Amino acid sequence: MSQDSVRVERAALETTREPNKGLALLRTSMGRNLGLVIALLLLCLVGVITAGDRFASTANTLTILKLAATIGVVSIGMTFVIIGGGIDLSVGAIVALSSVWCTTVATQTMANDTHWLVMVFVALAVGAGCGLVNGLLISYGRIVPFIMTLAMLASARGLAQIISDRKTQIVDVEGFADFFNREIVGIPMQVWIFVLVSVVGWILLNRTTFGRRTVAVGGNTEAARLAGIPVKRQTVYLYVLVGVCCGIAALMLVARTTTGSATHGNLYELDAIAAVVIGGTLLSGGRGTIVGTVLGVLIFTTLNNVFILNNRSISEQELLKGVIIVAAVLLQQRLASRNSNA
């Protein structure tokens, strides 16, 4: 046998050799989530070492969970959109518009005359309406998601400023803040809302036809269409879903601050996308987990808390956050390339 033939056979054996077990584990959702849990525990360890009891206290833990709840709800909706092959840069502006619209004098007057649930309905309706506009123009108008949601970002934020006249609107509806700020077994209601949204999101993604269609559309749009999936309608549903999540987040934000403002939700789109990417969802679509997103939200919220307790600047926080995002994307690409070559 010639030396060339021997080299060819050796190369063939190397390509079919059992892959590294560690990398194989990282390519699974369980392995990725385990890595996130370890990262979160290490971050908590850093917090305990650097801030001591200020970080390890029960009050601080509840503060972290409460702050994570609002952006967490938005991130759950963003997870579905990104898995479906899209992106939404307008979530922060939709949160602002929903918060302003549900706290106008007219809305609050109607809520005082009837029930504070009027404010809930308005916030959810505004969020869903913005999502519907995004979805329709992306699906049927064939506008690129990046451009369409960028336009919605500017439009929704501008409309919020017009409605509020650039002023902060104070909430005086009886019962509204009391409901959203109450505690159940010592845990804030807003954390329970985040848990509920996460559980519903997990069931929707992993146990329903809607979730399977979302993964199929994000994985291969043409194959999904040939399989009989209404791709355009599914895309509209995804943007309406993230819009509803923005409405819920707006209600939580309004209850926590007792105000509606055009400045609410600033940079939420970046925080949500960062949490989703860190959680293991592919920006190209077709893969992602709700559990990973929840862990991603907790990691970034805990990171911000550690920096604040140690009197570090916001600029340093943003710098480290950017580094983490880049590292996560590079890791995704490396694992994806190894998986395709395996």
Side-chain angles (χ1 to χ4, degrees):
M1 183 179 294
S2 66
Q3 291 184 352
D4 291 339
S5 298
V6 172
R7 283 196 295 267
V8 170
E9 288 186 4
R10 286 179 179 174
L13 287 173
E14 289 178 357
T15 57
T16 57
R17 187 175 298 168
E18 185 71 20
N20 182 278
K21 291 183 178 180
L23 290 175
L25 178 62
L26 284 175
R27 281 197 287 267
T28 65
S29 59
M30 182 180 296
R32 290 190 296 270
N33 291 338
L34 178 60
L36 292 172
V37 170
I38 294 173
L40 180 59
L41 291 176
L42 290 175
L43 190 57
C44 290
L45 180 61
V46 172
V48 171
I49 293 174
T50 59
D53 293 338
R54 289 182 301 153
F55 177 84
S57 66
T58 302
N60 187 62
T61 301
L62 292 177
T63 297
I64 292 174
L65 293 175
K66 196 171 182 179
L67 292 175
T70 306
I71 187 62
V73 170
V74 176
S75 299
I76 296 298
M78 184 71 80
T79 302
F80 279 89
V81 169
I82 294 180
I83 291 176
I87 192 122
D88 195 340
L89 302 179
S90 63
V91 290
I94 295 176
V95 169
L97 180 60
S98 298
S99 76
V100 166
W101 211 317
C102 77
T103 56
T104 58
V105 174
T107 302
Q108 292 198 60
T109 300
M110 189 179 302
N112 281 320
D113 292 340
T114 54
H115 197 277
W116 56 263
L117 285 175
V118 171
M119 295 176 62
V120 175
F121 173 78
V122 170
L124 297 181
V126 170
C130 291
L132 181 62
V133 172
N134 277 336
L136 289 174
L137 291 177
I138 289 170
S139 297
Y140 297 95
R142 297 183 178 180
I143 301 177
V144 177
F146 182 91
I147 299 300
M148 181 60 235
T149 57
L150 186 63
M152 178 60 74
L153 182 155
S155 301
R157 187 75 69 178
L159 182 57
Q161 292 173 350
I162 292 173
I163 293 175
S164 64
D165 194 25
R166 296 179 179 270
K167 298 177 181 177
T168 300
Q169 300 174 166
I170 307 299
V171 177
D172 61 358
V173 176
E174 185 177 354
F176 175 80
D178 293 338
F179 175 82
F180 283 96
N181 291 326
R182 71 171 61 179
E183 294 185 353
I184 300 178
V185 296
I187 299 176
M189 174 64 75
Q190 298 196 20
V191 176
W192 286 114
I193 293 174
F194 178 33
V195 171
L196 178 61
V197 171
S198 300
V199 171
V200 172
W202 185 89
I203 294 173
L204 197 60
L205 181 62
N206 297 283
R207 294 292 184 268
T208 67
T209 302
F210 180 87
R212 289 190 291 272
R213 288 181 173 180
T214 300
V215 174
V217 170
N220 191 320
T221 304
E222 185 60 21
R225 185 185 66 81
L226 294 175
I229 297 176
V231 174
K232 292 183 178 180
R233 190 190 310 166
Q234 183 71 16
T235 300
V236 173
Y237 290 159
L238 292 175
Y239 281 95
V240 171
L241 175 62
V242 72
V244 171
C245 288
C246 289
I248 296 173
L251 291 168
M252 297 165 68
L253 197 55
V254 168
R256 194 172 77 233
T257 62
T258 65
T259 62
S261 173
T263 61
H264 280 338
N266 189 35
L267 296 181
Y268 268 26
E269 55 278 354
L270 299 182
D271 290 338
I273 293 172
V276 172
V277 171
I278 289 298
T281 299
L282 290 179
L283 281 173
S284 56
R287 192 193 77 189
T289 65
I290 298 299
V291 175
T293 295
V294 171
L295 291 172
V297 170
L298 292 176
I299 286 174
F300 276 121
T301 308
T302 304
L303 178 66
N304 290 340
N305 182 261
V306 171
F307 268 70
I308 290 172
L309 290 178
N310 287 281
N311 297 319
R312 310 307 300 182
S313 68
I314 295 178
S315 301
E316 291 175 328
Q317 295 179 38
E318 298 302 323
L319 176 61
L320 183 56
K321 187 181 298 184
V323 172
I324 293 174
I325 295 171
V326 171
V329 172
L330 290 175
L331 180 60
Q332 284 185 2
Q333 292 176 346
R334 183 174 180 82
L335 293 176
S337 62
R338 283 182 175 270
N339 192 40
S340 62
N341 292 331

